[in-house]
Amino acid sequence: EVHLVESGGGLVQPGGSLRLSCAASGFTFSNYDMSWVRQAPGKGLEWVSAIYANGHNTFYKDSVKGRFTISRDNVKNTMYLQMNSLKTEDTAVYYCARVGSESALQLLGAATPRGQGTQVTVSS
C-alpha cells in the first residue's frame, strides 16, 4: 500500500522560505518518478514539480522555476521541496504524489496516489 506523509508546512511571510519533506513507504520508492502537487482553496490539483526516480532529472511549473528546488534521498525514502521567495499565490495544501509528470496528474486526477498534504500559507 502506498503511504506518503508530508511535513514542513506552515505560515510564512512573503519572501520567506519553507522546506517540505515527504516520507514514503509501502512501495519501492527508488523505482518511481515523483511529484509535488498543490491545491489552493476552491481549485483543483496543480502540478508543481517532478523528479525522476534516479534523482538526476527535475522539472518545474514555470511560476516556481528559480524559487523551488525538488530533491530526493532514495536511501531514506524521502523527497523534499525547498521553497524560497514565497509569494501569496503559493498558498495551498501541498501533496507528495506518486506521479512523474503534469500529464500523468491530469490523467489520474483525484485518483493520484498522494499523502494527506501539508498546509503552506504565505501571508503578511
Side-chain angles (χ1 to χ4, degrees):
E1 179 185 357
V2 176
H3 193 52
L4 300 166
V5 180
E6 302 91 341
S7 61
L11 173 65
V12 63
Q13 292 185 341
S17 298
L18 285 173
R19 188 192 194 207
L20 306 184
S21 298
C22 168
S25 60
F27 65 104
T28 305
F29 179 71
S30 59
N31 286 352
Y32 287 86
D33 302 338
M34 297 288 295
S35 289
W36 286 98
V37 304
R38 66 189 181 187
Q39 188 167 27
K43 297 188 177 181
L45 289 174
E46 178 183 54
W47 175 81
V48 174
S49 180
I51 186 167
Y52 278 179
N54 62 15
H56 295 322
N57 299 85
T58 58
F59 307 89
Y60 299 93
K61 178 181 177 65
D62 284 347
S63 62
V64 307
K65 282 181 182 176
R67 301 188 297 121
F68 290 10
T69 302
I70 191 171
S71 61
R72 65 191 294 164
D73 184 331
N74 285 344
V75 174
K76 295 182 178 179
N77 290 345
T78 303
M79 182 173 69
Y80 306 96
L81 186 68
Q82 177 67 43
M83 305 188 294
N84 298 329
S85 302
L86 282 161
K87 303 177 180 180
T88 55
E89 53 263 43
D90 295 318
T91 294
V93 177
Y94 282 72
Y95 298 93
C96 167
R98 202 181 75 174
V99 290
S101 65
E102 183 175 17
S103 57
L105 174 66
Q106 292 172 344
L107 184 65
L108 291 174
T112 300
R114 62 189 189 275
Q116 84 290 345
T118 187
Q119 176 70 48
V120 171
T121 302
V122 185
S123 175
S124 55

